[in-house]
Amino acid sequence: MAKKIEQQRQECIIPLDIGEKYRVELPHIIDDIVESCTNALCFNHVDAAVIPSKESVIEIIEIIKDILYPGYLGQQEIDRHNLPYHIGGEVTTLFEKLSYQVSRSIIHECRRYNRLCTQCIDRGQKEAVNFLKKIPKLREILALDVRAAFDGDPAAKSYDEIIFSYPGLLAITIYRVAHELYVQDVPLIPRIMTEHAHSVTGIDIHPGAQIGERFFIDHGTGVVIGETSIIGNSVKIYQGVTLGALSFAKDEEGRLIRGTKRHPTIENDVIIYANATILGGDTVIGARSVIGGNVWITQSVPPDTMVILETPGLIYKSRKGF
Amino acid sequence: MAKKIEQQRQECIIPLDIGEKYRVELPHIIDDIVESCTNALCFNHVDAAVIPSKESVIEIIEIIKDILYPGYLGQQEIDRHNLPYHIGGEVTTLFEKLSYQVSRSIIHECRRYNRLCTQCIDRGQKEAVNFLKKIPKLREILALDVRAAFDGDPAAKSYDEIIFSYPGLLAITIYRVAHELYVQDVPLIPRIMTEHAHSVTGIDIHPGAQIGERFFIDHGTGVVIGETSIIGNSVKIYQGVTLGALSFAKDEEGRLIRGTKRHPTIENDVIIYANATILGGDTVIGARSVIGGNVWITQSVPPDTMVILETPGLIYKSRKGF
Amino acid sequence: MAKKIEQQRQECIIPLDIGEKYRVELPHIIDDIVESCTNALCFNHVDAAVIPSKESVIEIIEIIKDILYPGYLGQQEIDRHNLPYHIGGEVTTLFEKLSYQVSRSIIHECRRYNRLCTQCIDRGQKEAVNFLKKIPKLREILALDVRAAFDGDPAAKSYDEIIFSYPGLLAITIYRVAHELYVQDVPLIPRIMTEHAHSVTGIDIHPGAQIGERFFIDHGTGVVIGETSIIGNSVKIYQGVTLGALSFAKDEEGRLIRGTKRHPTIENDVIIYANATILGGDTVIGARSVIGGNVWITQSVPPDTMVILETPGLIYKSRKGF
């Protein structure tokens, strides 16, 4: 057996320089692919010049997290002596990377509409500085979110555990950052940020959503919060909850009408349990109401209401035959 | 306080060379672990020689994405002058990496059945070239998927935003690539590809599924599309939708029978809303039907039908005592 | 057109050294952010000294996976001759990284309660060694999980495919590792491990949950298994299943009471289908019972019972007007 395997191993070594037999076909294949880039149907980004880099946007998120929660995430230990230098260095790097990427996204937008972008670079820097100025306020709001998580989850052992490991807090942190850039009309980057959070946490919050203080998402996988959702203070949401659109208005040419309020409004102190789905721009969940798990709602619910599914029918039967 | 902390800091420096006290136990521990590799119960991959590398498969996906959407994803800017050289370089690298990994997966398969693999390396190169030839067609089909996303989502600001950041498009792109390799009977790699997409997007599409043109998955977290699902053209699916198996046929020894059609058929122009579950290989959702959120279906639905849950019972009660 | 684009390109080159106009504002911004670190409301980790590194914990997971499934995951090929050296090297590295991070997490915990940690470093090494001794047993238990996946999923082509690519097995592997460290009272690290698995797989298993042998999670996105869940042998769970808490007991000051049993008990041989939600610490799902998709349960179910939703109302209507 060992001998056979040895023999197989010999015969199966893969030569690193791969034979000519198939390689000769490559030039034709390459020509066809390049040709397909002139196919009006296909999407290229040729001659459209600068675009923001997803990798850089993710780097920017990491720097912002380190500035928002100093000493938690980096390898380096922070004390009161090196703190100012640490923050100073991080903020300077952030300014350079962020203003560069924001400029690129603004230029990219100009191009799409064939505008000349005489202000693009300046605006990129301006928006970056405007964002930096919001960081102290962001830290205060996020601190309330951390406390809401601790007060809302009996499994939480400490604030540190929440900052270290809770996906809900990570998604809310990135959303609050992206929302500020969205409010500043920065193109593309806010959505790239929240989709990165979506990829890492399974929580999909559109940067356009408006969310109050002390927001807590527990577990979070599958949560969807649509672009025009409005959420009050002290709202608590569990995994799989959707705040979505009911149906889409179209114009006379049958194209979707964009920008109308399509997603629900959730008032203060509402709790929405796992996998509930709430749809529609006119749907309002009144203050202090509780929406049970798996409930599917397309109409408003008054304040102080609990909505739950009736218990499902119980069918007793032996698993034999199942 | 500061002084106390200083003192604690002193006493808590961790020596990088760790003392002997526990290290002496390592040899025994290592022996036991090595011993456990001869335990017939446990899984090793010893003497099984070459296996495909998950890391390399992920690199391959990145290169393919850059070829499918030129200029969007890389750092480098592409214009009509450098495009042919850029594509040429990428395709050549792809050929080498892909043919090498496909060969490894074919050799791995041969070994499992103790076959001699005289053709493995040659077949790896052949399948790689056959895949490369499909790229122009893949680009056309994916362009239709991008348009379907734009036409289906009022939150989409531009085609570029979809290509940059939509997880649904990413999952469909990787699925369409993996499906071609699955059709070519390449072992292991198609599933590694779609499970990578699953990890990044939360969307789990088996490479064996058959999916028509203009497919759109919105949000997508929790979507499951089983191996034998058949999906027509212009189908739109939301997060948490499952196209799954109802129950599993077993042979007389009680082993699962593999390869039968276990997952539903979805005809053209069907919309399936969030968290709906559709099960069974004989279940057919007729053309133009709409399946509402949270619906659980195990039987066929005729064309032009809308299936929704009845509104759940509303229980009014004060949250006091809840 | 080409000329216009060239001209735009010229004018849109972004200078890498960014002008002074906005940079002059940075010192003030930095001062404000540093200032905000003295804001009692905000969270910093300043002067709290050593904390575990999330990056290192993820490295540790990778090493453990390579030791648990030798030859599967690394680039290097393993045969019976190099196996002992490979395992030996991996285990030694694991001991050093794990004992270092465990020490850091214990020191971090000491600080939180302002205890002096005279034993922290020693305990870190002791717990690391205690964990290493469990690896052979862990390999046996995980081998049963791999077999349960193969026996439970008709789409599985081989054991190798499961080890290579099944997210359910990955989540269970990391859970079983984290659970051992949780049982050893290692702070923070177990939760960082399972939240890493959550991020990669969408499966959220709290390290405190107790789970029997031959556990299989299929697809898995959105699965939540709470801290005090108890799961028997040969249980099979599908995507989106929640084993959660019903409501939270509070003490007289209205603070959550932590550490009580809040999550359900699942007896042997139970199957729970997609998106079912089972809540409450007193809820027991009896042996061999089957819980259907989307079911929402807050009370116990006797053994050998099948619980399914009634078929939803079918509303026939033409999609015109929808």
Side-chain angles (χ1 to χ4, degrees):
Chain A
M1 178 59 183
K3 192 173 171 321
K4 172 149 168 266
I5 286 165
E6 262 331 298
Q7 165 214 341
Q8 287 186 341
R9 179 188 302 287
Q10 287 315 317
E11 151 245 330
C12 277
I13 299 305
I14 301 182
L16 273 180
D17 69 318
I18 297 177
E20 289 306 291
K21 181 169 163 196
Y22 298 100
R23 192 183 286 274
V24 290
E25 304 196 44
L26 290 186
H28 275 100
I29 292 172
I30 291 166
D31 290 345
D32 293 344
I33 295 172
V34 172
E35 181 60 29
S36 74
C37 293
T38 62
N39 176 340
L41 176 70
C42 295
F43 289 98
N44 319 298
H45 210 287
V46 175
D47 282 340
V50 290
I51 53 174
S53 152
K54 192 170 174 177
E55 286 66 28
S56 304
V57 171
I58 293 170
E59 278 172 40
I60 285 167
I61 290 172
E62 291 309 308
I63 298 170
I64 292 174
K65 279 162 56 184
D66 187 39
I67 295 171
L68 291 171
Y69 304 106
Y72 275 98
L73 306 170
Q75 294 277 14
Q76 191 192 355
E77 284 162 35
I78 309 298
D79 59 35
R80 80 183 63 102
H81 312 300
N82 64 16
L83 177 68
Y85 307 104
H86 178 72
I87 296 280
E90 292 285 72
V91 171
T92 309
T93 309
L94 175 58
F95 170 71
E96 280 164 21
K97 288 181 180 288
L98 183 59
S99 55
Y100 185 66
Q101 292 301 323
V102 172
S103 296
R104 289 172 77 90
S105 69
I106 293 169
I107 292 164
H108 176 273
E109 196 81 346
C110 284
R111 289 298 162 74
R112 242 178 8 99
Y113 302 109
N114 280 301
R115 293 192 305 248
L116 285 177
C117 49
T118 53
Q119 300 299 314
C120 295
I121 295 165
D122 187 79
R123 238 200 92 208
Q125 299 177 28
K126 196 174 93 209
E127 299 305 345
V129 163
N130 288 342
F131 171 79
L132 294 179
K133 289 174 178 168
K134 298 172 173 176
I135 288 177
K137 184 77 189 127
L138 270 173
R139 297 192 67 226
E140 288 187 9
I141 294 168
L142 289 167
L144 296 176
D145 294 322
V146 173
R147 286 174 168 76
F150 186 78
D151 298 341
D153 179 12
K157 305 279 180 297
S158 69
Y159 293 127
D160 291 346
E161 182 186 37
I162 292 162
I163 295 169
F164 274 130
S165 62
Y166 272 40
L169 181 70
L170 177 57
I172 292 166
T173 300
I174 294 175
Y175 154 76
R176 295 207 187 274
V177 166
H179 180 68
E180 293 306 326
L181 295 170
Y182 178 95
V183 168
Q184 292 172 234
D185 271 328
V186 173
L188 285 168
I189 290 173
R191 185 68 185 268
I192 292 173
M193 286 180 163
T194 55
E195 283 300 343
H196 173 66
H198 183 192
S199 172
V200 173
T201 66
I203 299 169
D204 177 358
I205 310 178
H206 194 288
Q210 300 169 45
I211 301 179
E213 297 182 343
R214 296 185 302 285
F215 186 47
F216 176 42
I217 301 173
D218 202 359
H219 308 297
T221 309
V223 164
V224 174
I225 300 176
E227 181 179 22
T228 62
S229 305
I230 298 175
I231 298 177
N233 296 327
S234 302
V235 168
K236 186 168 161 182
I237 283 183
Y238 286 83
Q239 65 273 17
V241 165
T242 292
L243 307 182
L246 185 50
S247 67
F248 304 137
K250 297 188 173 178
D251 64 19
E252 52 288 335
E253 277 118 53
R255 288 176 313 227
L256 292 174
I257 297 170
R258 299 171 194 268
T260 58
K261 185 167 192 310
R262 307 179 305 279
H263 307 95
T265 297
I266 313 296
E267 295 183 349
N268 297 344
D269 302 299
V270 166
I271 302 179
I272 308 174
Y273 284 100
N275 302 318
T277 305
I278 303 174
L279 305 179
D282 302 330
T283 304
V284 178
I285 307 300
R288 298 169 305 283
S289 284
V290 175
I291 309 301
N294 282 21
V295 168
W296 189 66
I297 290 183
T298 60
Q299 50 198 293
S300 291
V301 170
D304 299 297
T305 309
M306 184 161 77
V307 184
I308 61 169
L309 285 181
E310 278 127 24
T311 332
L314 274 190
I315 298 162
Y316 289 74
K317 95 181 231 196
S318 145
R319 272 190 68 206
K320 307 269 170 295
F322 181 75
Chain B
M1 178 60 185
K3 194 174 169 320
K4 170 144 170 273
I5 286 167
E6 261 334 297
Q7 167 213 340
Q8 286 188 341
R9 179 189 301 287
Q10 288 314 318
E11 151 246 332
C12 278
I13 299 303
I14 301 183
L16 273 180
D17 70 317
I18 298 177
E20 290 305 291
K21 181 170 164 194
Y22 297 100
R23 191 182 287 274
V24 291
E25 303 197 43
L26 291 186
H28 275 99
I29 293 172
I30 291 166
D31 291 345
D32 293 344
I33 295 174
V34 172
E35 181 59 28
S36 75
C37 294
T38 63
N39 177 339
L41 176 71
C42 295
F43 289 98
N44 318 299
H45 209 288
V46 175
D47 282 339
V50 291
I51 54 174
S53 153
K54 193 171 172 174
E55 288 64 28
S56 305
V57 171
I58 292 170
E59 279 172 39
I60 285 167
I61 290 172
E62 291 309 307
I63 299 170
I64 292 173
K65 279 162 55 183
D66 187 39
I67 295 171
L68 291 171
Y69 304 106
Y72 275 98
L73 305 169
Q75 294 278 13
Q76 190 192 355
E77 284 162 36
I78 308 300
D79 59 34
R80 81 182 61 105
H81 312 299
N82 64 18
L83 178 68
Y85 308 104
H86 178 72
I87 296 281
E90 292 286 69
V91 170
T92 309
T93 310
L94 176 59
F95 170 70
E96 279 164 20
K97 287 180 181 289
L98 183 60
S99 56
Y100 185 65
Q101 292 301 323
V102 171
S103 296
R104 288 173 78 90
S105 69
I106 292 168
I107 291 164
H108 176 273
E109 196 82 344
C110 284
R111 289 297 162 76
R112 235 171 21 91
Y113 302 109
N114 280 301
R115 292 194 305 250
L116 284 179
C117 48
T118 52
Q119 299 300 314
C120 295
I121 295 166
D122 187 78
R123 237 200 92 208
Q125 299 177 29
K126 194 174 93 209
E127 298 306 344
V129 164
N130 288 342
F131 171 78
L132 293 180
K133 289 175 177 169
K134 298 172 173 175
I135 288 179
K137 184 77 190 125
L138 270 173
R139 298 193 66 228
E140 287 188 9
I141 294 168
L142 289 167
L144 296 176
D145 295 320
V146 172
R147 285 174 168 79
F150 186 78
D151 298 341
D153 178 13
K157 305 281 181 294
S158 68
Y159 293 127
D160 291 346
E161 184 186 34
I162 291 162
I163 295 170
F164 274 130
S165 62
Y166 273 38
L169 182 69
L170 177 58
I172 293 167
T173 300
I174 294 175
Y175 153 76
R176 295 209 187 271
V177 167
H179 180 68
E180 294 306 325
L181 294 170
Y182 179 95
V183 167
Q184 292 172 232
D185 271 326
V186 173
L188 286 168
I189 290 174
R191 185 67 185 268
I192 293 173
M193 286 180 162
T194 55
E195 283 299 343
H196 172 67
H198 183 190
S199 172
V200 173
T201 66
I203 299 168
D204 178 358
I205 310 178
H206 194 288
Q210 300 169 45
I211 302 180
E213 297 183 343
R214 296 185 301 284
F215 186 45
F216 176 41
I217 300 172
D218 202 359
H219 308 297
T221 309
V223 164
V224 174
I225 299 176
E227 180 179 23
T228 61
S229 305
I230 298 175
I231 298 178
N233 295 328
S234 302
V235 168
K236 186 168 161 183
I237 282 182
Y238 286 83
Q239 65 273 16
V241 165
T242 292
L243 307 182
L246 185 49
S247 67
F248 302 138
K250 297 188 173 177
D251 63 21
E252 54 288 334
E253 277 118 57
R255 289 177 313 227
L256 292 175
I257 297 171
R258 299 170 193 272
T260 58
K261 186 169 192 309
R262 308 179 303 279
H263 306 95
T265 297
I266 313 296
E267 296 182 348
N268 295 345
D269 303 299
V270 165
I271 301 178
I272 308 173
Y273 283 101
N275 302 317
T277 305
I278 303 173
L279 305 179
D282 301 330
T283 304
V284 178
I285 307 300
R288 298 169 304 281
S289 285
V290 175
I291 309 301
N294 282 20
V295 168
W296 189 65
I297 290 182
T298 60
Q299 51 199 291
S300 292
V301 169
D304 299 295
T305 308
M306 183 161 78
V307 184
I308 62 169
L309 285 181
E310 275 126 26
T311 331
L314 274 189
I315 299 163
Y316 288 75
K317 96 182 231 195
S318 145
R319 274 192 64 206
K320 308 269 170 292
F322 182 75
Chain C
M1 180 61 183
K3 194 174 169 319
K4 172 148 169 268
I5 286 166
E6 261 334 297
Q7 165 212 342
Q8 287 188 341
R9 177 188 303 287
Q10 287 315 317
E11 150 245 332
C12 277
I13 299 304
I14 301 184
L16 274 180
D17 69 317
I18 297 176
E20 289 306 292
K21 181 170 167 193
Y22 297 99
R23 191 182 288 272
V24 291
E25 301 197 46
L26 291 185
H28 275 99
I29 292 172
I30 291 166
D31 291 345
D32 293 344
I33 295 173
V34 172
E35 181 60 28
S36 74
C37 294
T38 63
N39 177 339
L41 176 70
C42 295
F43 289 97
N44 318 298
H45 209 287
V46 175
D47 282 340
V50 290
I51 53 174
S53 153
K54 192 171 173 175
E55 286 64 27
S56 305
V57 170
I58 293 170
E59 278 173 39
I60 286 167
I61 291 171
E62 292 308 308
I63 298 170
I64 293 174
K65 279 163 54 184
D66 186 38
I67 296 170
L68 290 171
Y69 304 105
Y72 275 98
L73 306 169
Q75 294 277 14
Q76 191 191 353
E77 284 163 35
I78 309 299
D79 58 36
R80 82 183 59 105
H81 313 299
N82 65 17
L83 178 69
Y85 308 104
H86 178 72
I87 296 281
E90 292 286 71
V91 170
T92 308
T93 310
L94 176 58
F95 170 71
E96 280 164 19
K97 287 180 181 290
L98 183 59
S99 56
Y100 185 66
Q101 292 301 324
V102 172
S103 297
R104 288 173 78 92
S105 69
I106 293 169
I107 291 164
H108 177 273
E109 196 81 344
C110 283
R111 289 297 162 75
R112 231 165 32 85
Y113 302 109
N114 280 299
R115 294 192 306 248
L116 284 177
C117 48
T118 53
Q119 299 300 313
C120 296
I121 296 166
D122 186 76
R123 237 199 93 207
Q125 299 177 29
K126 195 174 93 209
E127 299 305 345
V129 163
N130 288 342
F131 171 79
L132 294 180
K133 290 175 178 167
K134 298 172 173 176
I135 288 178
K137 184 79 190 126
L138 270 173
R139 297 192 68 226
E140 287 186 8
I141 294 168
L142 289 167
L144 296 176
D145 295 320
V146 173
R147 286 174 167 77
F150 186 76
D151 297 341
D153 179 12
K157 305 279 180 295
S158 68
Y159 293 126
D160 291 345
E161 183 186 37
I162 291 161
I163 295 170
F164 274 130
S165 63
Y166 272 38
L169 181 69
L170 178 58
I172 292 166
T173 300
I174 294 175
Y175 153 77
R176 295 208 186 272
V177 166
H179 180 68
E180 294 306 327
L181 294 169
Y182 179 95
V183 167
Q184 291 172 232
D185 272 327
V186 173
L188 286 168
I189 291 173
R191 185 66 185 269
I192 293 173
M193 286 180 162
T194 54
E195 283 300 344
H196 172 66
H198 184 190
S199 172
V200 173
T201 66
I203 299 168
D204 178 358
I205 309 177
H206 194 288
Q210 299 169 45
I211 302 180
E213 297 183 341
R214 295 185 302 285
F215 186 47
F216 176 42
I217 302 173
D218 201 0
H219 307 297
T221 309
V223 164
V224 174
I225 298 175
E227 181 180 21
T228 62
S229 305
I230 299 175
I231 298 177
N233 295 327
S234 303
V235 169
K236 187 168 161 183
I237 283 182
Y238 285 83
Q239 65 273 18
V241 165
T242 291
L243 306 182
L246 185 50
S247 68
F248 303 138
K250 297 188 173 179
D251 64 20
E252 53 287 335
E253 276 118 55
R255 288 177 314 227
L256 291 175
I257 297 171
R258 299 171 194 271
T260 57
K261 185 165 193 310
R262 308 179 303 281
H263 307 93
T265 297
I266 312 296
E267 296 183 347
N268 296 344
D269 303 299
V270 166
I271 301 178
I272 308 173
Y273 283 100
N275 301 316
T277 305
I278 303 173
L279 304 179
D282 302 330
T283 304
V284 178
I285 306 301
R288 298 168 304 281
S289 285
V290 175
I291 310 302
N294 282 20
V295 167
W296 189 65
I297 289 182
T298 60
Q299 50 199 295
S300 292
V301 169
D304 299 295
T305 310
M306 183 160 77
V307 184
I308 62 169
L309 286 180
E310 277 128 24
T311 330
L314 274 191
I315 299 163
Y316 289 73
K317 98 179 228 197
S318 146
R319 273 190 68 207
K320 307 270 168 294
F322 181 77

